[in-house]
Amino acid sequence: MAWPLQLPAAWERDGLILGAMHLLLIEDDAVIARELLLRWRGRGWQVRACASLAEAGSALAGDLSGQAVELVVLDLGLPDGDGVQWLARFRQQDRRTPVIVLTARDRVADRVLGLKIGADDYLVKPFDPEELDARIEALQRRGQVGRGEWLQFGRLRWLGGEGRAYVDLQVLELMPREFEVLGLLISRAPRLLPRRVLIDALAERNLEVGDSAAEVYVSRLRRKLAGSGTTIRTLRGFGYVLALADSGDPG
Ligand code: CA
């Protein structure tokens, strides 16, 4: 495989390589949706825009077969229902994907309710797209983006709620830090997981590791993934990438 990876320029920002995030936008205002789509795609993010809750439901149901949605931006007033109720149901299903709520200024009660039932942040309309981007990036830095309850990559499945990971139907025997590292890697695969994001995200879960220890956990995990059809590549000075193994790879 050609290596090192080519990093798109948009990935490097404030010294942190953010990678192409996978976002779901639920917004029925065509003007706002179009502006955000153009903006985010221009940044190299993968965006799916839905104009109704029904459409969003099918986009999220498709999660398992494709790359998991890492962050939801949710408008509250939608043609087929209320975003607050939708968010409540979403959280009841134990789905932990971060959600940023967009709300009109006259719906202050909604936005308070939204936070109570599990929005990670909110923004009042009309808003500055720069500010929305800043909030998205803040969630990403705190390691909250990419923490869906289950993730899949190739033959690997990672179930946050169960605390287990599988290769096909076989349980992978992992120590807690290895499990978390795998979740972080899968959430970004096949994109780069910056080393700093990895270390910060582990610290956030009270699983502190030093710089060299991070390398140790990654190496152990790499060995445990042998035969899984995936492999962890190290991009020196940047971080790690979980990739599908080539036929010639030991993984
Ligand atoms: Ca609306």
Side-chain angles (χ1 to χ4, degrees), residues 67-90:
Q67 189 198 349
V69 168
E70 293 168 89
L71 182 120
V72 177
V73 176
L74 172 68
D75 174 38
L76 293 184
L78 290 153
D80 57 345
D82 187 281
V84 170
Q85 281 164 22
W86 182 87
L87 177 58
R89 279 198 307 276
F90 188 67

Side-chain angles (χ1 to χ4, degrees), residues 7 20 22 34 36 64 93 98 108 123 137 183 234 246:
L7 299 177
H22 191 194
R34 193 181 134 74
L36 293 178
L64 260 186
Q93 293 159 9
V108 175
L123 212 51
E137 285 171 6
T234 299
D246 295 339

Side-chain angles (χ1 to χ4, degrees), residues 178-199:
E178 294 163 0
F179 178 75
E180 290 298 331
V181 171
L182 181 61
L184 291 161
L185 281 165
I186 294 185
S187 73
R188 299 221 170 198
R191 293 171 286 120
L192 180 73
L193 172 65
R195 194 185 174 84
R196 199 176 105 202
V197 170
L198 169 70
I199 290 170

